[in-house]
Amino acid sequence: MVSLTLLELQKQVPLQNWCFESESVIRVGRSTDNDVVLTDNLVSRYHLEIRRDANSNNWQVLNHGTNGTFLNGVLIHQSPLLDNSLLQLAKGGPVLQFQIQHQIMNQNTNIISSNCTHEGNPPENLFCIHCGQPLSVATTILNYRILRALGKGGMGTTYLAWDGKRTITSKPQLLVLKQMNADMVKVAKARELFEREANTLKSLHHPGIPKYYDFFVESGKKYLAMELVHGQDLEKLVHLKGPISPQQAITWMIQTCDILDYLHSQHPPLIHRDIKPANLMVRSYDNQIVVLDFGAVKEIGTTFGTRIGAEGYCAPEQERGQPLTQSDLYAIGPTLIFLLTGENPFKFYRLQGRDFRFHIENITTITPELRKVIGEVTEPLPCDRYQTARELASALFALNH
């Protein structure tokens, strides 16, 4: 487990803390979809990444910020990250202290013993091999028993939870419980996005979308209970295993198009607004894509206001706060570039004439046929792109057959 602590610039006293138990990639920046959100104007929307090497368990930091990142006072692009290191995001910007923790639970968390009294359970087990009851519980919220933290994003912290009252074929159900972060409670926009995710999931029924179970407020905190999807998101998968084969990447994007077609076919159509590798999970048991994070979803015809979307994956009209269904399709192009290269697609985004385009002519894993599809789906004007998810899926399908 590692932690990041925001320090007061002059006296270096702690102001805010984030803990991460199992993440291999931690994103820091101004955008609300980062794991650590810093609203300072010197901070870029996606300023830096902290990554853990799967083989050595060592950490390193990568700068993506326009104003640079300083590690212990030295400007860096990419560098190993040691315990108690200080990261400053831009000269005169906020300072984060990076620490490696050697305890699993927060020191203020009380472990609640379960009702199970059976012996002979392996120490790493979450459940009893005899009765199926949880062996240890971090805390209980209503009828949900929190087993451990899964991760923390810009607005919410997700937990692995067990609900003894909810049953599937008479068996207790393991699920995800998402709690709105305490530091977001006073931010009206954050509250709106969190509640929107719950309302959206409640109305949707598709195998590529996590099932909605519950939404409630307890002790002034908002919670969303939803399906636990066993798998790994595409961003982490590529960081761990490297670029994906073209055939597999195309297959996953066809599956993503099927889910987008379902969203865009709602009445009125729904726009996801944040399609990117980190929000596309490969489900382990059937190798199928599941789309995550529905906090940014909006209906066509509503006022959009705040611009939402990841740098490098966001369509030009969405950058201007005017997303369309074709904006979701646009994100398929840079997602394919990331899957096939392992590089941030923004690296290939350059000015061509009066518009910015993705320059991928020299990428050997992208065939001319696939390059044509990526070029069409990322046309600057929405009217020049594929108009529907089905149309894009058909073009991709033809490449694999």
Side-chain angles (χ1 to χ4, degrees):
M1 180 168 123
V2 299
S3 69
L4 288 170
T5 304
L6 179 64
L7 302 178
E8 195 275 330
L9 205 55
Q10 301 301 323
K11 298 181 180 179
Q12 300 283 286
V13 296
L15 298 175
Q16 190 174 349
N17 180 262
W18 297 264
C19 292
F20 303 92
E21 183 176 344
S22 57
E23 287 83 348
S24 58
V25 180
I26 301 168
R27 294 176 291 272
V28 182
R30 202 173 68 249
S31 177
T32 56
D33 59 349
N34 286 288
D35 302 303
V36 174
V37 179
L38 300 173
T39 56
D40 193 296
N41 287 332
L42 292 173
V43 177
S44 296
R45 295 187 67 252
Y46 300 94
H47 198 103
L48 63 83
E49 286 185 2
I50 297 172
R51 296 182 184 174
R52 181 180 61 199
D53 185 272
N55 298 319
S56 65
N57 245 6
N58 293 330
W59 293 85
Q60 63 174 204
V61 58
L62 291 83
N63 171 65
H64 300 304
T66 303
N67 295 324
T69 296
F70 296 81
L71 174 60
N72 298 323
V74 178
L75 181 65
I76 58 96
H77 172 67
Q78 180 172 340
S79 176
L81 193 56
L82 303 178
D83 192 18
N84 289 314
S85 294
L86 294 180
L87 294 167
Q88 185 170 33
L89 286 72
K91 195 173 185 64
V95 174
L96 294 171
Q97 183 178 28
F98 172 83
Q99 292 179 302
I100 299 173
Q101 307 290 334
H102 300 290
Q103 53 187 10
I104 300 301
M105 292 291 179
N106 186 290
Q107 60 184 2
N108 296 321
T109 300
N110 295 318
I111 302 299
I112 304 171
S113 61
S114 73
N115 297 324
C116 174
T117 58
H118 293 107
E119 298 181 354
N121 284 291
E124 69 276 8
N125 272 26
L126 287 174
F127 297 92
C128 175
I129 59 176
H130 305 287
C131 66
Q133 292 283 326
L135 293 173
S136 64
V137 179
T139 189
T140 298
I141 304 168
L142 295 184
N143 51 290
Y144 299 101
R145 302 181 188 181
I146 307 301
L147 306 183
R148 64 181 177 89
L150 293 175
K152 184 172 182 178
M155 285 176 291
T157 301
T158 55
Y159 299 96
L160 181 66
W162 185 82
D163 181 3
K165 290 187 178 180
R166 186 181 302 280
T167 60
I168 294 179
T169 62
S170 301
K171 294 180 181 178
Q173 184 171 352
L174 203 58
L175 48 79
V176 168
L177 191 66
K178 187 173 183 179
Q179 174 189 303
M180 185 174 179
N181 290 342
D183 54 346
M184 292 286 109
V185 171
K186 295 183 180 180
V187 181
K189 190 64 183 180
R191 292 200 306 271
E192 178 191 343
L193 292 175
F194 193 86
E195 292 173 13
R196 185 186 303 152
E197 180 172 17
N199 292 329
T200 301
L201 287 178
K202 188 175 183 178
S203 67
L204 299 177
H205 305 281
H206 188 282
I209 298 173
K211 294 184 181 69
Y212 166 93
Y213 293 145
D214 197 7
F215 179 75
F216 61 93
V217 179
E218 176 67 11
S219 301
K221 297 179 181 178
K222 300 180 189 295
Y223 295 91
L224 167 62
M226 54 186 159
E227 178 187 8
L228 172 66
V229 180
H230 296 277
Q232 191 167 50
D233 70 63
L234 293 182
E235 183 178 77
K236 289 180 180 176
L237 190 149
V238 170
H239 284 323
L240 289 173
K241 298 184 178 180
I244 307 300
S245 71
Q247 185 175 17
Q248 181 63 82
I250 291 170
T251 298
W252 282 336
M253 290 306 96
I254 293 172
Q255 294 170 10
T256 304
C257 284
D258 177 69
I259 302 168
L260 290 177
D261 180 60
Y262 172 77
L263 291 176
H264 298 166
S265 299
Q266 300 301 301
H267 302 285
L270 295 177
I271 311 173
H272 187 278
R273 293 203 295 168
D274 201 15
I275 296 296
K276 60 184 179 181
N279 285 339
L280 302 176
M281 177 173 282
V282 182
R283 192 164 46 210
S284 297
Y285 77 85
D286 61 359
N287 200 39
Q288 295 288 308
I289 288 292
V290 177
V291 174
L292 307 177
D293 197 349
F294 283 77
V297 165
K298 277 227 174 181
E299 299 174 353
I300 279 191
T302 58
T303 302
F304 287 92
T306 305
R307 171 219 179 280
I308 290 178
E311 190 172 49
Y313 298 90
C314 193
E317 68 278 2
Q318 188 167 325
E319 290 271 6
R320 299 189 296 269
Q322 300 171 321
L324 304 166
T325 53
Q326 291 81 17
S327 308
D328 283 343
L329 305 185
Y330 179 99
I332 298 292
T335 297
L336 279 165
I337 295 173
F338 171 78
L339 294 179
L340 296 172
T341 65
E343 301 275 0
N344 188 321
F346 196 67
K347 173 181 177 180
F348 305 98
Y349 198 57
R350 300 169 194 161
L351 187 64
Q352 179 179 312
R354 299 177 60 183
D355 301 303
F356 280 88
R357 303 298 301 271
F358 290 99
H359 289 257
I360 52 177
E361 292 79 8
N362 297 325
I363 302 175
T364 57
T365 52
I366 299 181
T367 64
E369 293 78 13
L370 179 55
R371 192 182 306 131
K372 182 177 182 297
V373 172
I374 293 174
E376 184 167 342
V377 80
T378 57
E379 284 284 350
L381 296 177
C383 62
D384 293 333
R385 298 178 205 148
Y386 297 100
Q387 292 301 291
T388 67
R390 288 189 181 185
E391 187 182 352
L392 174 56
S394 296
L396 291 170
F397 182 83
L399 300 178
N400 269 356
H401 294 82

